[in-house]
């Protein structure tokens, strides 16, 4: 059972709420990683905190507002930003959603489904597993998910 530590801070004339849990400290406008309904770690932004409940309304980056949802900031579906999502120059880990330039040269949504020292096994969304391929970790064919989408 996680203990919820609520910490309210006031900055100037505006109320700045902050929720601190075992998973981290969060405030409005902050980005974080959230395990979405499809069980894929995704980048999200806190729209509104509910300090008393320890929850937040989040908007997923690169998705429309129909995907917004309330999450428990102390729950297992929440992590600090880029704990489970890829950023340029960061470590690629199994389960991360990325964009990969396929062998035909088209950028596609993909997921890391395996790891070796020098390469990751990529599964392209919507394609059969026979299209999966090993791509060097340092390849320029791999980039952060949502790279070309509006923020």
């Amino acid at each position: 059972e996680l203990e919820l530590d609520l910490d309210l801070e006031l900055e100037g004339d505006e109320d700045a709420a902050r929720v601190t849990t075992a998973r981290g400290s969060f405030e409005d406008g902050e980005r974080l990683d959230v395990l979405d309904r499809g069980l894929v770690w995704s980048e999200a932004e806190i729209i509104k905190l509910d300090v008393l409940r320890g929850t937040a309304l989040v908007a997923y980056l690169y998705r429309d507002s129909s995907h917004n949802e309330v999450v428990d900031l102390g729950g297992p579906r929440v992590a600090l930003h880029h704990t489970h999502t890829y950023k340029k120059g960061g470590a690629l880990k199994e389960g991360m959603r990325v964009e990969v330039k396929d062998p035909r040269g088209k950028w596609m949504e993909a997921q890391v489904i395996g790891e070796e020292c020098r390469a990751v096994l990529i599964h392209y969304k919507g394609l059969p597993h026979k299209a999966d391929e090993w791509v060097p970790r340092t390849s320029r064919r791999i980039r952060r998910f949502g790279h070309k989408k509006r923020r």
Side-chain angles (χ1 to χ4, degrees), residues 44-60:
E45 185 173 321
I46 296 174
I47 297 172
K48 184 164 180 52
L49 281 176
D50 184 331
V51 176
L52 296 178
R53 289 188 174 94
T55 62
L57 174 63
V58 298
Y60 290 100

Side-chain angles (χ1 to χ4, degrees), residues 45-100:
E45 185 173 321
I46 296 174
I47 297 172
K48 184 164 180 52
L49 281 176
D50 184 331
V51 176
L52 296 178
R53 289 188 174 94
T55 62
L57 174 63
V58 298
Y60 290 100
L61 275 58
Y62 323 116
R63 297 193 195 160
D64 65 49
S65 61
S66 69
H67 295 277
N68 293 3
E69 67 172 318
V70 174
V71 295
D72 176 0
L73 293 172
R77 292 182 53 214
V78 172
L80 296 176
H81 196 217
H82 292 309
T83 301
H84 299 285
T85 56
Y86 178 68
K87 68 177 180 179
K88 187 176 180 177
L92 283 163
K93 299 184 235 174
E94 193 168 334
M96 285 186 164
R97 180 175 22 193
V98 291
E99 291 179 3
V100 179

